Amino acid sequence: LLVENVENHPDFLSSNPDTKCELAVPIIYRDEVVGVISVEHKEIGGLDEEDLQNIQSLAAHAAVAIQNARIYHALQRKSQHQQAIYEASKIINVSLEHTEKELLNLLVEQMVTEIIPAAGARNNLGTILLYDHEKNELKVECNYPEKEFGAHLKDEIRSLSHPQRGKIDISGRAVITKKPQRVDDVTTDSDYLNRNEETRSELNVPMLEGDIVLGVLSLECDRLNGFDKDAEDTLCAFAELAAIAIQNTRRYNELKETRATVGNITAVAWM
């Protein structure tokens, strides 16, 4: 679009009082507008058709460059997520050296620092909650960074039978549905309970052993639409690893208790 005199154009919004002429060309890649190149001139008629053609050519090159940059960023991000899953799996492989609490603390830090949200956004909080089937409630087991989580919310119990303010929260919905819950705008979600003023979007994934829910992994972001399918898939992989780690740790502890009991019985028998 070439406007020789912006004062005569109904859509013109002045951001510079010296502007008299403006040229705006969309940057289009495969029928999708990905941006706009705008050139302003201080004289009426200061830009002409030749300038328009030059900017259109520049816009075509810019469209390809932007798409290439997006592809590179996506591949780099996917590679980082694969590396994060690998690092988390190494933690799981030495899980018997840690208590369940220590293990989950390591995993929640990995979640927050290594799962990359949308460009320009950041994860402001990660939480791991464990589910009690008999009581039908979630308990906050660990979070990262701790300073972002109020002291009054540590070890918080979230009842699904008698939910706070009548809301089961997004984490509760992950338990009930046994499916990932990706919320682009938490203010529009009827189950959301606000615990952090900076949170704009949220991703919750259930930890499952077969059909049994062990808990929930939760990530919160400071931007709308902070999580995409790639972030969801990565957190799902973390959830699978966490479920394996929890079960391995619990079974190992049960085995130690059984051995101790058998040892005590044998000792008594020899007395």
Side-chain angles (χ1 to χ4, degrees):
L1 176 64
L2 174 59
V3 180
E4 294 183 351
N5 186 352
V6 295
E7 294 179 358
N8 297 331
H9 200 284
D11 294 331
F12 176 68
L13 291 175
S14 177
S15 58
N16 186 337
D18 293 332
T19 298
K20 296 296 185 288
C21 176
E22 185 171 356
L23 174 62
V25 174
I27 303 172
I28 301 174
Y29 185 83
R30 292 183 178 177
D31 298 325
E32 178 190 357
V33 177
V34 297
V36 174
I37 296 178
S38 177
V39 179
E40 300 179 8
H41 200 283
K42 63 181 180 180
E43 295 180 2
I44 294 175
L47 299 167
D48 57 22
E49 288 296 327
E50 183 179 352
D51 295 315
L52 176 60
Q53 291 177 8
N54 290 335
I55 297 302
Q56 286 174 332
S57 177
L58 178 61
H61 288 292
V64 175
I66 289 171
Q67 182 62 17
N68 288 342
R70 287 180 174 179
I71 292 172
Y72 174 78
H73 175 74
L75 291 174
Q76 188 180 46
R77 185 166 172 258
K78 185 174 287 291
S79 175
Q80 288 176 289
H81 282 167
Q82 290 173 344
Q83 182 65 27
I85 294 169
Y86 171 69
E87 294 298 330
S89 69
K90 289 200 299 185
I91 295 173
I92 304 309
N93 287 335
V94 294
S95 62
L96 298 183
E97 298 177 10
H98 301 285
T99 65
E100 183 176 304
K101 180 81 170 181
E102 290 171 340
L103 184 64
L104 294 179
N105 276 326
L106 291 172
L107 284 175
V108 74
E109 182 176 352
Q110 282 280 101
M111 281 166 45
V112 174
T113 58
E114 301 300 332
I115 296 181
I116 307 166
R122 69 177 180 88
N123 297 321
N124 58 313
L125 181 64
T127 308
I128 296 181
L129 306 98
L130 297 182
Y131 180 59
D132 187 318
H133 290 263
E134 293 184 2
K135 297 179 180 179
N136 192 30
E137 62 186 25
L138 283 165
K139 176 180 178 292
V140 173
E141 187 67 14
C142 56
N143 54 273
Y144 183 88
E146 291 191 0
K147 63 183 178 61
E148 296 290 342
F149 208 70
H152 64 292
L153 295 175
K154 279 193 173 184
D155 302 319
E156 177 192 16
I157 303 296
R158 304 179 185 179
S159 173
L160 303 188
S161 300
H162 307 285
Q164 182 182 353
R165 300 198 295 275
K167 298 182 177 183
I168 60 172
D169 196 46
I170 299 170
S171 58
R173 195 166 69 222
V175 171
I176 293 172
T177 64
K178 300 180 182 179
K179 294 180 179 179
Q181 302 296 313
R182 177 158 40 109
V183 179
D184 294 332
D185 182 356
V186 294
T187 63
T188 65
D189 193 287
S190 58
D191 291 324
Y192 176 66
L193 285 169
N194 186 359
R195 295 180 175 86
N196 189 317
E197 294 298 328
E198 292 186 359
T199 298
R200 296 294 177 268
S201 54
E202 189 167 330
L203 177 62
N204 285 256
V205 172
M207 290 185 287
L208 300 171
E209 185 189 29
D211 199 43
I212 299 173
V213 178
L214 302 178
V216 175
L217 304 187
S218 177
L219 276 177
E220 300 180 21
C221 181
D222 65 350
R223 298 286 183 89
L224 297 174
N225 305 299
F227 302 104
D228 58 10
K229 187 64 169 59
D230 189 51
E232 181 181 318
D233 290 344
T234 305
L235 192 59
C236 285
F238 267 71
E240 291 177 9
L241 291 171
I244 293 170
I246 289 172
Q247 288 305 304
N248 286 348
T249 303
R250 290 177 179 178
R251 286 167 183 156
Y252 178 70
N253 290 334
E254 289 172 1
L255 180 61
K256 284 202 304 183
E257 291 174 5
T258 300
R259 285 179 174 173
T261 300
V262 171
N264 290 335
I265 293 173
T266 302
V268 170
W270 279 96
M271 291 178 63

